[in-house]
């Protein structure tokens, strides 16, 4: 019974964090959609040093069980307009938001119409895209034009992130699934071309600059793919990956960029789907209490929102189906 109560407490705590984060991200959406005074909405998203009033009731307590589950889901759909089932799910709070891919985005005007649809249907939903830079840009007309290693080499990481955030915010996007915190330290690293640096300290400096830039532009950044895919030669989108490193090696080579991102105020951390036998011999990172609770929340002290990489990634599907 004590273990069950502890598990319920953890789930409730994480649901509360997710609900609060959805509210905070909604402040940004409100500024874009014209809910209230844009200037005041922008001010609300910044740190002003004032202590927030203690809520009389936790947001999670106002949700049904189905809504609580729904607030853990960011859904995907086909097409350039939001289907009826998506609008219904958002309106009934059976989903926290949507992630958009290239087939959802064709032009600036179309994207603004789509995100307006999502906002109208939902209650300030999360609207996320992958906007790392270079080839990984769902909005091809928006910054950063340079890839992450090119940004780091040019010393433009912060300004590129801020410019990208301004463009995404104007389009109605609230979350970027970037920057990449992975440190490629093996030959043929799968994400080598998307990482800032092969040096953990340099990567950490770039991560902090990127998070600061995204925050300045009004879009929530996501540090990924915890606890680091720098030792993977297979992209987990394509298949299972096992990273054979000791815990000490992971702490030295992989964690510094995540620590820097957390220190800089990253509101989200994405957990990847690789297996790390030194941390959890049985479960991939996205399904591991040892990695999410003990390492990320406990050791690193992250109190923001933890999200997973795509549940349709092959490394995830190798453990079980999406359901």
């Amino acid at each position: 019974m004590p273990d069950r109560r502890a598990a319920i407490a953890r789930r409730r705590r994480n649901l509360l964090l997710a609900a609060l984060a959805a509210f905070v991200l909604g402040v940004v959406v409100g500024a874009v959609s014209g809910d209230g005074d844009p200037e005041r909405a922008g001010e609300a998203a910044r740190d002003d040093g004032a202590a927030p009033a203690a809520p009389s009731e936790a947001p999670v307590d106002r949700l049904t069980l189905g809504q609580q589950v729904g607030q853990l889901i960011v859904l995907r759909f086909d097409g350039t307009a939001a289907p009826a089932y998506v609008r219904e799910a958002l309106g009934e709070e059976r989903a926290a938001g949507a992630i958009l891919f290239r087939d959802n985005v064709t032009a600036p005007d179309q994207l603004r119409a789509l995100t307006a649809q999502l906002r109208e249907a939902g209650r300030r939903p999360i609207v996320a895209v992958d906007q790392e830079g270079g080839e990984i840009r769902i909005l091809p007309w928006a910054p950063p034009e340079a890839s992450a290693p090119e940004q780091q080499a040019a010393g433009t990481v912060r300004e590129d992130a801020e410019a990208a955030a301004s463009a995404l915010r104007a389009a109605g996007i609230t979350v970027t699934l970037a920057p990449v915190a992975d440190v490629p330290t093996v030959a043929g690293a799968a994400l080598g071309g998307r990482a800032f640096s092969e040096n953990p300290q340099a990567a950490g400096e770039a991560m902090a600059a990127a998070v600061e830039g995204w925050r300045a532009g009004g879009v929530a950044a996501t540090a990924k793919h915890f606890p680091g895919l720098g030792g993977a030669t297979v992209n987990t989108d394509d298949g299972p990956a096992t990273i054979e490193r000791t815990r000490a090696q992971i702490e030295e080579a992989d964690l510094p960029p995540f620590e820097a991102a957390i220190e800089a105020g990253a509101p989200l951390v994405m957990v990847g789907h690789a297996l790390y036998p030194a941390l959890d011999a049985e479960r991939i990172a996205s399904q591991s209490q040892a990695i999410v609770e003990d390492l990320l929340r406990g050791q690193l002290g992250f109190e923001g929102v933890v999200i997973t990489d795509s549940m349709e990634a092959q490394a995830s599907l190798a453990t079980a189906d999406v359901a």
Side-chain angles (χ1 to χ4, degrees):
M1 181 65 76
D3 289 344
R4 184 171 181 272
R5 283 199 297 266
I8 291 172
R10 280 196 303 270
R11 285 196 295 270
R12 186 179 182 281
R13 192 272 312 272
N14 291 342
L15 277 165
L16 173 60
L17 288 169
L20 290 174
F23 172 76
V24 171
L25 293 173
V27 171
V28 177
V29 181
V32 176
S33 61
D35 296 341
D37 183 344
E39 280 300 318
R40 294 186 64 184
E43 289 168 5
R46 294 194 293 269
D47 296 329
D48 59 7
S56 58
E57 181 182 32
V60 69
D61 291 332
R62 297 196 292 270
L63 303 176
T64 67
L65 178 59
Q67 289 171 330
Q68 289 179 20
V69 174
Q71 292 309 296
L72 301 179
I73 302 298
V74 174
L75 53 75
R76 152 90 163 113
F77 58 87
D78 294 329
T80 56
Y85 79 89
V86 170
R87 299 195 302 273
E88 291 173 4
L90 293 175
E92 296 171 3
E93 296 187 87
R94 291 185 287 107
I99 176 172
L100 305 181
F101 290 96
R102 287 191 172 94
D103 66 300
N104 302 122
V105 177
T106 58
D109 289 345
Q110 172 271 325
L111 177 58
R112 284 192 292 271
L114 172 57
T115 56
Q117 260 192 323
L118 296 172
R119 289 196 303 276
E120 182 179 355
R123 306 191 178 184
R124 295 183 171 183
I126 294 168
V127 183
V129 297
D130 285 294
Q131 194 79 5
E132 299 172 15
E135 295 182 359
I136 311 299
R137 287 185 296 161
I138 298 303
L139 281 62
W141 61 83
E145 292 186 14
S147 65
E150 291 170 338
Q151 295 171 43
Q152 198 273 341
T156 60
V157 174
R158 190 189 188 286
E159 61 188 76
D160 286 345
E162 185 171 356
S166 296
L168 266 61
R169 176 172 171 167
I173 305 298
T174 66
V175 174
T176 178
L177 300 176
V180 172
D182 305 315
V183 182
T185 52
V186 297
L191 300 186
R194 295 164 56 187
F196 284 118
S197 175
E198 297 177 358
N199 180 283
Q201 283 66 46
E205 293 172 2
M207 285 296 294
V211 169
E212 290 167 1
W214 284 107
R215 289 185 64 183
V219 170
T222 306
K224 64 183 186 184
H225 309 78
F226 191 83
L229 289 178
T233 56
V234 176
N235 188 324
T236 52
D237 288 345
D238 303 324
T242 298
I243 297 179
E244 299 284 0
R245 287 180 171 171
T246 66
R247 186 182 187 98
Q249 290 172 329
I250 291 170
E251 291 179 350
E252 180 179 355
D254 296 308
L255 295 189
F258 290 99
E259 293 172 322
I262 292 169
E263 180 66 24
L268 300 98
V269 170
M270 178 188 291
V271 182
H273 294 314
L275 181 69
Y276 302 79
L279 302 177
D280 189 329
E282 298 181 358
R283 298 173 181 82
I284 61 174
S286 58
Q287 300 170 12
S288 170
Q289 179 177 326
I291 291 174
V292 176
E293 286 286 336
D294 300 341
L295 181 58
L296 178 55
R297 293 213 183 276
Q299 184 174 325
L300 271 60
F302 180 62
E303 296 182 347
V305 173
V306 180
I307 64 173
T308 73
D309 205 345
S310 171
M311 298 301 291
E312 295 180 335
Q314 292 304 305
S316 178
L317 293 177
T319 68
D321 61 24
V322 171

